[in-house]
Amino acid sequence: GQELALASLHLGSGKSPLPEPVSVEEDEGDPAEEPSEREAAAGPAFRLPVLAYHLVGEAVQDAWSVSREAFEAQLDWLSARARVLPLAAALELFESGGVPPEDAVTITFDDGYASFLDHAAPSLRRHGMSATLFLITRFMGETNEWNSRAKYIARHLSWDQARTLAAEGFELGAHGRTHQALVKFDKQRIKAELHGSANDIRDQLGRDPASVAYPYGTCDKIVVKVAKKRFRLGFTSATKGVRDWRVDP
């Protein structure tokens, strides 16, 4: 099968509605590199920025959370300058050999927090936009006390809430069963986390998830190989730049 992975651009609550655009062809100040043989053979590039959030509207802000006001301003900015493409549409476009419009982006939310229902979903609906939520399937309906590094306590979606969002057209992907850094595990443990989360979503929602966001944004060749057995698309993290779907697993 085709190898799919896409870097995410994390958005925070800074003064600017969105970060300045980053060139996907070259780094600032560096000469443009010639396409690799693999890229050249693959044809037109398939690149799609992914705007990744965790929390919207929480009192305590970090690098992956924003206030409702900031989120609304960012969606206003996107409405005027970009097209928000649902992941399902992007994946269908990729697999049919197409490429997305130059102004296309997609929106995701890691960890599947329940605050999405009250703070993010209404703004997305008002703007006619969709998003994908990545669920930690063993903590559905519980708080994030599993995360010793978190500076806030937030509750995850319950399965009933996830079903409601799915019925409204929001996409639901996997984020592992217990949000572990998979690169430190052997193949069986990785499989238990990734395939197990896919099984949980299938059993609870009646459909197999198409995508997975690797916990902490980390993966290696073994993790990707295991993920490809169950998912059509995988996400890592990046601070700038967007990877080419065709050539970067």
Side-chain angles (χ1 to χ4, degrees):
Q2 294 171 300
E3 296 178 349
L4 301 181
L6 190 59
S8 301
L9 307 175
H10 290 286
L11 300 187
S13 54
K15 296 179 181 179
S16 176
L18 284 174
E20 290 300 313
V22 177
S23 171
V24 298
E25 300 296 343
E26 57 185 296
D27 292 332
E28 184 177 354
D30 294 332
E33 295 182 1
E34 292 296 322
S36 68
E37 291 183 9
R38 194 178 178 192
E39 289 175 329
F46 192 105
R47 295 187 173 106
L48 179 66
V50 178
L51 310 182
Y53 297 87
H54 281 64
L55 290 164
V56 172
E58 297 296 325
V60 177
Q61 304 297 318
D62 60 18
W64 301 277
S65 62
V66 295
S67 67
R68 293 187 68 172
E69 294 76 16
F71 186 62
E72 188 75 25
Q74 290 174 4
L75 296 190
D76 287 342
W77 191 96
L78 288 171
S79 292
R81 297 170 175 83
R83 279 178 273 187
V84 175
L85 196 64
L87 269 189
L91 191 53
E92 181 178 347
L93 189 64
F94 174 84
E95 293 178 340
S96 66
V99 294
E102 290 186 359
D103 60 351
V105 300
T106 195
I107 298 174
T108 67
F109 285 79
D110 284 3
D111 299 344
Y113 288 113
S115 60
F116 179 89
L117 286 166
D118 296 325
H119 302 320
S123 293
L124 288 164
R125 293 189 197 102
R126 280 195 297 273
H127 288 82
M129 297 176 181
S130 184
T132 298
L133 293 85
F134 295 107
L135 308 178
I136 308 171
T137 58
R138 282 292 170 87
F139 296 121
M140 301 294 287
E142 300 180 15
T143 66
N144 67 330
E145 292 179 85
W146 55 268
N147 186 358
S148 61
R149 297 186 296 179
K151 298 179 181 179
Y152 50 82
I153 298 297
R155 187 167 297 279
H156 297 284
L157 292 164
S158 68
W159 284 115
D160 283 341
Q161 291 171 326
R163 291 186 194 96
T164 297
L165 289 171
E168 292 182 6
F170 290 104
E171 298 177 49
L172 301 172
H175 203 33
R177 271 186 161 165
T178 59
H179 203 284
Q180 300 291 324
L182 301 174
V183 294
K184 64 183 181 181
F185 294 143
D186 61 26
K187 187 175 180 180
Q188 286 304 114
R189 182 70 184 276
I190 295 168
K191 183 177 179 180
E193 279 288 325
L194 294 184
H195 293 199
S197 64
N199 291 340
D200 293 339
I201 292 172
R202 179 197 60 203
D203 293 344
Q204 291 288 337
L205 304 182
R207 66 188 73 176
D208 283 309
S211 58
V212 58
Y214 302 115
Y216 303 108
T218 60
C219 64
D220 57 19
K221 291 182 178 179
I222 297 175
V223 173
V224 171
K225 184 176 181 179
V226 172
K228 286 171 64 178
K229 299 290 185 180
R230 288 299 301 271
F231 303 100
R232 297 160 63 197
L233 181 65
F235 289 84
T236 61
S237 297
T239 55
K240 68 175 184 176
V242 182
R243 297 179 181 176
D244 187 341
W245 285 29
R246 305 160 306 153
V247 299
D248 194 335

